[in-house]
Amino acid sequence: MAIPAPYPIGTPGQPWGDAERAEWLSRQTRHRSYADDVLDMVDRLRSRFDVSQYGELDYAPQTFPLFAIRNRDWNDALPVMLVTGGVHGYETSGVHGALQFVDRHMADYAGRANVLVAPCVSPWAYERIHRWNPHAIDPNRSFRENSPAGESAALMRLVGPLRERVLMHIDLHETTDSDESEFRPALAARDGKPFEPDGIPDGFYLVDDTEHPQPEFQQAVIAAVEKVTHIAPADAKGEIIGSPVVGHGVIRYPLRPLGLCAGVTDAKYKTTTEVYPDSPRATPVQCNDAQAAAVCAAIDYALAHAG
Ligand SMILES: [Zn+2]
């Protein structure tokens, strides 16, 4: 494998300071509109679902209102199902898969579950097709007390009162070729560490919780997604992106110690989807369909194994 060129910002071996973060920020450009792509769709869902604003990110000159969508007739006797998308704003099918789930499937769960969807947790990054917020912070390492990321802090305030009542939480992500070409090199540069190239798996996979694994739940989600798109195989080392494959298309991370979104509640059933949109064998429609299928399968499994 070729030795990668040094990242264009900072000095190799030295973590970024304010000047490097500012330089990084100056290179980010707006590619798409949160208002046009997400808020318009959220508005269209208001006639059928309860939409509420749970926060606002102030990144002058822009502000980003944050919205959550609930199914109607919320009933405290029913289990809560949490769906989060766009924690990494560039992971497009996480956002649009969450909205597609609401539009096409959420009404099916009326009277059976309270479903809460936060479809675009990190809208600034959605617009810039980036992983970080404007402070060069990854929201998906920031779900912890006194979070340095406003995106994570807002979601924690939303779900905090429900934390012990959430039965299932599914967090919708993608693994992209740009992870390897841009975001992992940027992370290494930001933290003053060497960048070690790795491969990107071709296919869908899930991340379970090392501390509370639910292998049967994960396989139920994999089985549903496999009808829509292919599942990532293990590499020659038996791994996917450096973690051992513990079941068909499943790896594990210690969610809460890493500050990952999927660890934000005490849900019994937790998973993180990783769709691969750059596959020659996957279309954008398929990616959204895979996310929505994963959400439905996760809720169905949790309902069948509740109590
Ligand atoms: Zn992600």
Side-chain angles (χ1 to χ4, degrees):
M1 207 173 283
I3 295 168
Y7 196 75
I9 297 170
T11 307
Q14 290 180 23
W16 290 359
D18 290 344
E20 288 80 13
R21 284 170 199 269
E23 187 186 346
W24 168 82
L25 181 60
S26 76
R27 291 175 178 232
Q28 304 310 316
T29 54
R30 193 164 171 264
H31 296 284
R32 55 189 181 181
S33 164
Y34 172 61
D36 291 351
D37 296 359
V38 179
L39 297 185
D40 278 5
M41 179 66 180
V42 169
D43 277 340
R44 286 203 294 279
L45 295 166
R46 283 176 195 270
S47 62
R48 291 185 286 145
F49 303 101
D50 292 331
V51 174
S52 60
Q53 185 174 344
Y54 70 91
E56 183 167 84
L57 299 166
D58 185 6
Y59 295 139
Q62 286 187 282
T63 56
F64 297 92
L66 300 166
F67 289 96
I69 309 166
R70 291 173 174 80
N71 54 354
R72 293 247 163 100
D73 303 317
W74 194 270
N75 176 350
D76 282 343
L78 298 175
V80 177
M81 309 290 180
L82 175 62
V83 182
T84 45
V87 171
H88 286 140
Y90 70 111
E91 295 170 5
T92 305
S93 74
V95 176
H96 294 287
L99 291 168
Q100 178 173 314
F101 162 76
V102 175
D103 184 38
R104 300 187 192 172
H105 306 288
M106 192 153 87
D108 299 346
Y109 296 100
R112 295 195 288 148
N114 302 316
V115 187
L116 171 60
V117 181
C120 190
V121 172
S122 187
W124 183 91
Y126 176 86
E127 292 196 336
R128 278 128 190 109
I129 313 187
H130 209 287
R131 191 173 170 87
W132 295 340
N133 74 9
H135 304 297
I137 295 171
D138 185 340
N140 206 30
R141 296 295 182 278
S142 305
F143 288 91
R144 48 173 59 106
E145 288 296 307
N146 303 311
S147 175
E151 294 81 2
S152 313
L155 189 75
M156 290 176 80
R157 283 193 296 275
L158 172 70
V159 303
L162 302 168
R163 186 178 164 129
E164 288 162 16
R165 294 181 39 221
V166 176
L167 178 62
M168 189 287 298
H169 176 195
I170 184 166
D171 188 31
L172 308 181
H173 284 253
E174 293 180 343
T175 299
T176 65
D177 287 349
S178 56
D179 286 339
E180 185 72 2
S181 63
E182 169 62 26
F183 299 132
R184 291 188 66 245
L187 173 66
R190 186 196 70 183
D191 295 345
K193 293 176 179 169
F195 168 59
E196 284 156 18
D198 198 354
I200 296 293
D202 183 353
F204 178 94
Y205 63 98
L206 292 174
V207 183
D208 197 358
D209 187 3
T210 307
E211 297 181 324
H212 303 282
Q214 289 285 353
E216 192 182 287
F217 166 66
Q218 308 297 332
Q219 287 308 317
V221 177
I222 289 284
V225 172
E226 197 156 28
K227 293 174 184 160
V228 178
T229 190
H230 57 288
I231 306 302
D235 65 17
K237 290 185 282 186
E239 297 177 341
I240 290 176
I241 58 164
S243 291
V245 173
V246 296
H248 181 39
V250 180
I251 61 171
R252 290 176 185 157
Y253 287 161
L255 302 177
R256 201 164 285 167
L258 288 176
L260 296 172
C261 183
V264 77
T265 73
D266 297 329
K268 180 175 182 183
Y269 302 110
K270 297 186 282 279
T271 196
T272 300
T273 66
E274 295 287 352
V275 163
Y276 179 51
D278 299 319
S279 174
R281 293 193 280 154
T283 64
V285 167
Q286 241 175 341
C287 293
N288 292 341
D289 288 351
Q291 301 282 19
V295 175
C296 292
I299 296 175
D300 292 344
Y301 183 94
L303 283 174
H305 295 80

